[in-house]
């Protein structure tokens, strides 16, 4: 049993992720599950970190000042939440996130957001490598369909499942929203 509630990292839940231009995705309930976890963390006064991607590519959905770079309204940070801006997939690279967590004695993380095979996976790998006890919430993350290196089209479900498989037991544990809520309430 954890002695404190882990920090909740909400990755890249920006308006651009809801754009049809982002592609075909899985887990249509992910935003609802993230909102449930966010409400749970806020009700307990637990640590929440919102991560947003700010692109370096002009024309990107996540270019500074574009509507796509803004947080989704239902998942926007509260005034007391910590916000991390990143320019690469990994929320630990060039952001000060590790130091911010360590100064506060936080060594447990629950990661949600998008996309499973990109920013979620790279952040979870770094978290695990840095020694954080990390959980990725499978039904509070989502991925987009993608063509693999061999030229085979993979569904969003396939991409999501493989990313979770890459993490499970190596860098993080994988859980559902219900399992996480039970573990932090118990």
């Amino acid at each position: 049993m954890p002695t404190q509630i882990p920090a909740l990292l909400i990755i890249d839940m920006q308006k651009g992720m809801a754009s049809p231009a982002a592609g075909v995705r899985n887990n249509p309930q992910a935003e609802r599950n993230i909102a449930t976890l966010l409400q749970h963390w806020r009700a307990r006064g637990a640590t929440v970190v919102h991560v947003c991607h700010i692109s370096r590519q002009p024309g990107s959905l996540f270019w500074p000042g574009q509507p796509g770079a803004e947080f989704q309204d239902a998942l926007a940070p509260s005034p007391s939440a910590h916000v991390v801006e990143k320019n690469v997939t990994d929320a630990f690279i060039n952001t000060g996130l590790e130091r911010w967590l360590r100064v506060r004695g936080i060594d447990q993380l629950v990661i949600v957001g998008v996309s499973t095979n990109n920013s979620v996976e790279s952040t979870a790998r770094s978290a695990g490598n840095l020694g954080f006890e990390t959980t990725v919430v499978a039904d509070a993350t989502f991925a987009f369909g993608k063509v693999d290196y061999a030229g085979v089209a993979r569904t969003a479900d396939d991409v999501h499942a493989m990313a979770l498989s890459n993490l499970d037991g190596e860098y993080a544990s994988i859980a559902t929203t219900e399992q996480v809520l039970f573990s932090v309430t118990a």
Side-chain angles (χ1 to χ4, degrees):
M1 290 284 168
T3 56
Q4 68 180 30
I5 296 177
L8 178 65
L9 266 68
I10 302 175
I11 298 179
D12 297 351
M13 291 309 300
Q14 295 158 260
K15 291 180 180 177
M17 290 301 179
S19 168
V24 177
R25 61 171 271 196
N26 70 330
N27 280 356
Q29 79 289 355
E31 286 88 346
R32 185 186 70 230
N33 290 336
I34 295 168
T36 298
L37 292 165
L38 179 58
Q39 290 169 357
H40 187 81
W41 256 251
R42 284 179 175 166
R44 282 154 184 75
T47 302
V48 177
V49 178
H50 292 263
V51 178
C52 66
H53 184 77
I54 301 300
S55 180
R56 295 178 183 167
Q57 300 290 348
S60 165
L61 291 170
F62 307 102
W63 182 254
Q66 298 298 313
E70 298 172 7
F71 286 106
Q72 293 180 20
D73 294 338
L75 302 172
S78 69
S80 63
H82 184 59
V83 176
V84 172
E85 289 187 4
K86 64 180 182 58
N87 303 115
V88 297
T89 59
D90 188 333
F92 285 97
I93 300 297
N94 298 323
T95 64
L97 177 59
E98 179 187 7
R99 179 168 170 65
W100 189 90
L101 293 166
R102 301 251 189 241
V103 165
R104 286 154 183 80
I106 297 169
D107 60 3
Q108 299 171 342
L109 306 175
V110 170
I111 299 177
V112 301
V114 67
S115 68
T116 318
N117 62 302
N118 201 332
S119 294
V120 170
E121 185 174 355
S122 62
T123 299
R125 283 173 180 262
S126 286
N129 284 333
L130 291 168
F132 291 96
E133 182 182 325
T134 305
T135 301
V136 174
V137 186
D139 60 357
T141 59
F142 60 94
F144 298 94
K146 185 176 177 109
V147 175
D148 72 15
Y149 187 71
V152 178
R154 302 295 178 172
T155 67
D157 283 332
D158 290 342
V159 173
H160 180 76
M162 183 54 72
L164 294 175
S165 179
N166 290 340
L167 294 171
D168 190 26
E170 292 289 327
Y171 304 97
S173 60
I174 309 302
T176 64
T177 297
E178 184 177 339
Q179 290 168 328
V180 169
L181 289 173
F182 178 79
S183 72
V184 299
T185 306

